[in-house]
Amino acid sequence: MTTQTLPRYETRKLAAVRAAASVFAERGFHGASTKLIAESLGIKQASLYYYFKSKQQALAEVCLYALEDYVERLTLIDQSPQPFAAKLLAVFNAHLAAYREKNEALKVYNDERLYLPEDARTEIHQLGSGYRQLLESMFERAVADGDLRADVDCHFAAQAVIGIGNAWGDLIVRDASMDVITLAQKCADMLMHGFTRTQPS
Amino acid sequence: MTTQTLPRYETRKLAAVRAAASVFAERGFHGASTKLIAESLGIKQASLYYYFKSKQQALAEVCLYALEDYVERLTLIDQSPQPFAAKLLAVFNAHLAAYREKNEALKVYNDERLYLPEDARTEIHQLGSGYRQLLESMFERAVADGDLRADVDCHFAAQAVIGIGNAWGDLIVRDASMDVITLAQKCADMLMHGFTRTQPS
DNA sequence: CAATGATTCTATAGGTCTATAGAATTCCGC
DNA sequence: GCGGAATTCTATAGACCTATAGAATCATTG
């Protein structure tokens, strides 16, 4: 069986991507050195080039790692038969949980993706755009169904969800004590009802 | 009069801070070189050290430049006799307008401040904290006055305002066509009333 | 127009970084 | 334990970067 060699490589490669994510997250793409990434993997600097063709490719792989499953999970939520309010809550839960799980890679995706080489940049940009568009269509359907006010700007709303999710994602990375579940509830509640005293009908 | 020499230096220094902001914003602190900053000023790399003791000090000055007037403007809004809803709108207007005016410096403050040297870091961190606390106290007063629901988490709310403002701030930088005024209205409306169909009483 | 201080210049030390080349080592089925 | 493939190593080229030192230029004032 040749199936022994592949898992070994892939395990190590995944560790390399995670190490790169960690170092990029802490010092930024340009501030990070391949030496540091290699050391955090326990190998020498040049050996890293066995796994990555270049430093920029390492960045691209970190970003892809951050986004994998991301669109899929949103699709699942979108297609589930819950009412909109529950879906929105699930979106925040998924978004914040992802930050808990892959906080370093997501931070890198958010902050460093503009340093990607052109080709990887467009590929990854499309993943991110897909996420936003899916979210936007969720809002549009909710408006059409009468779950939301008719005058809601769905593009604005989708962008706001992402913005709020990212803002809190950044914060919970530094404050491990925050409870993701209640935080997601507050976010969803804020977007649904706002802060005023009005009670939902 | 010796008053001729000072304005000259200060004009040039301000230009240096702006040039640093521009280059830091485009390439990040570590990705930016003093050579590029100097060139965008029209001088040679080493001449930059006439205005900055070090690259890190340049970063600190960019961050301070981004935040100057920031807390003051919020204080003015806070003390004005408007109802809370109008204040919140004014906060978003001020926040987004600041991004239009000093977008590069604010981007640098948001993304690169963690690379500040320790002493500047704490000083600038306090400015930012002051802004959040002032916002938080605005919310607390609104809750006490009955303008907002009693169960609003004011810490959460203040953080959300900043997060939303920054998220949109980043976006309007790349899309010059966005109208800051209507955007601010949408943000304020979202936070006050949410997206559901319920009409305010 | 000479003196003085402000501003910018050239040159460079000293360090770090990415990426390549090829040697050395480790792993694993047989 | 042998042989070939996989993995890691050493060494280094070549580039770039920050910061300092001291010379040169510019502007202003008397």
Side-chain angles (χ1 to χ4, degrees), chain A:
Chain A
M1 307 214 199
T2 59
T3 44
Q4 290 288 352
T5 74
L6 281 182
R8 176 167 151 73
Y9 172 81
E10 300 200 348
T11 302
R12 208 89 181 93
K13 167 102 187 202
L14 180 62
V17 172
R18 288 223 186 91
S22 171
V23 178
F24 285 155
E26 190 176 332
R27 320 177 69 118
F29 175 68
H30 293 291
S33 71
T34 52
K35 183 164 185 248
L36 264 176
I37 298 172
E39 271 169 7
S40 104
L41 252 181
I43 60 177
K44 298 285 176 179
Q45 180 262 341
S47 304
L48 204 62
Y49 284 75
Y50 180 68
Y51 294 104
F52 301 118
K53 190 182 69 109
S54 68
K55 192 184 170 189
Q56 281 195 329
Q57 194 212 321
L59 177 61
E61 303 221 17
V62 169
C63 291
L64 285 171
Y65 172 70
L67 290 187
E68 74 178 7
D69 308 333
Y70 223 71
V71 181
E72 297 168 44
R73 260 180 271 185
L74 184 60
T75 309
L76 286 183
I77 292 170
D78 182 35
Q79 291 172 347
S80 70
Q82 314 167 76
F84 179 79
K87 283 187 188 178
L88 186 62
L89 178 59
V91 168
F92 277 114
N93 263 320
H95 197 116
L96 295 177
Y99 259 96
R100 268 270 186 271
E101 191 194 344
K102 302 194 190 179
N103 55 63
E104 285 151 334
L106 277 165
K107 177 167 168 42
V108 172
Y109 165 72
N110 279 327
D111 294 351
E112 315 292 336
R113 82 185 109 134
L114 67 156
Y115 306 125
L116 285 168
E118 188 59 32
D119 51 350
R121 226 180 90 73
T122 58
E123 179 194 353
I124 287 166
H125 180 263
Q126 280 177 351
L127 280 180
S129 281
Y131 188 84
R132 183 185 47 71
Q133 279 167 16
L134 191 50
L135 210 47
E136 197 169 325
S137 72
M138 264 181 63
F139 273 97
E140 278 161 1
R141 223 170 313 126
V143 169
D145 292 352
D147 291 335
L148 296 182
R149 280 157 46 191
D151 65 340
V152 167
D153 177 338
C154 294
H155 179 71
F156 168 87
Q159 207 73 262
V161 168
I162 294 172
I164 293 166
N166 286 341
W168 282 108
D170 266 8
L171 287 173
I172 63 176
V173 166
R174 307 194 191 170
D175 183 354
S177 72
M178 285 198 100
D179 178 19
V180 168
I181 308 254
T182 57
L183 185 55
Q185 275 168 345
K186 283 179 183 175
C187 289
D189 182 63
M190 175 178 74
L191 288 200
M192 291 301 282
H193 306 307
F195 291 142
T196 52
R197 296 172 63 203
T198 316
Q199 290 304 318
S201 55

Side-chain angles (χ1 to χ4, degrees), chain B residues 9 12 43-44 46-47 50-51:
Chain B
Y9 171 81
R12 208 87 181 95
I43 61 177
K44 299 285 175 176
S47 304
Y50 180 68
Y51 294 105

Side-chain angles (χ1 to χ4, degrees), chain B:
Chain B
M1 307 215 200
T2 59
T3 45
Q4 291 287 351
T5 74
L6 281 181
R8 176 165 152 74
Y9 171 81
E10 300 201 349
T11 302
R12 208 87 181 95
K13 166 103 189 202
L14 180 61
V17 172
R18 288 223 186 90
S22 172
V23 177
F24 285 154
E26 191 176 332
R27 321 179 67 119
F29 176 68
H30 294 291
S33 71
T34 52
K35 182 162 184 248
L36 264 176
I37 299 172
E39 270 169 9
S40 103
L41 251 182
I43 61 177
K44 299 285 175 176
Q45 181 261 341
S47 304
L48 203 62
Y49 284 75
Y50 180 68
Y51 294 105
F52 300 119
K53 189 182 71 104
S54 68
K55 193 185 169 188
Q56 281 196 329
Q57 194 212 322
L59 177 61
E61 303 221 17
V62 169
C63 290
L64 285 170
Y65 172 70
L67 290 187
E68 73 178 6
D69 308 333
Y70 224 71
V71 181
E72 296 167 46
R73 260 180 269 184
L74 184 60
T75 308
L76 286 183
I77 292 170
D78 182 36
Q79 291 171 347
S80 71
Q82 314 166 78
F84 179 78
K87 284 187 187 178
L88 186 62
L89 177 59
V91 167
F92 277 113
N93 262 320
H95 197 116
L96 295 177
Y99 261 95
R100 267 271 185 271
E101 190 194 346
K102 301 193 188 180
N103 56 65
E104 287 150 333
L106 277 166
K107 177 167 168 40
V108 172
Y109 165 72
N110 279 327
D111 294 351
E112 315 292 336
R113 82 186 109 135
L114 65 157
Y115 307 124
L116 286 167
E118 188 59 32
D119 49 350
R121 227 180 89 73
T122 57
E123 177 193 355
I124 287 165
H125 180 264
Q126 281 178 352
L127 279 179
S129 281
Y131 188 82
R132 184 185 47 71
Q133 280 167 15
L134 191 49
L135 211 47
E136 198 171 324
S137 72
M138 264 181 64
F139 273 97
E140 279 161 1
R141 224 170 312 126
V143 168
D145 292 351
D147 290 336
L148 296 181
R149 277 157 48 191
D151 65 340
V152 168
D153 177 338
C154 294
H155 179 69
F156 169 88
Q159 207 72 262
V161 168
I162 294 172
I164 293 166
N166 286 342
W168 282 108
D170 266 9
L171 288 173
I172 63 176
V173 166
R174 307 194 191 169
D175 183 355
S177 73
M178 285 198 101
D179 178 18
V180 168
I181 309 254
T182 58
L183 185 56
Q185 276 167 345
K186 285 180 182 173
C187 289
D189 182 62
M190 175 178 74
L191 288 199
M192 290 302 281
H193 306 306
F195 291 141
T196 53
R197 296 171 64 202
T198 315
Q199 289 304 318
S201 57

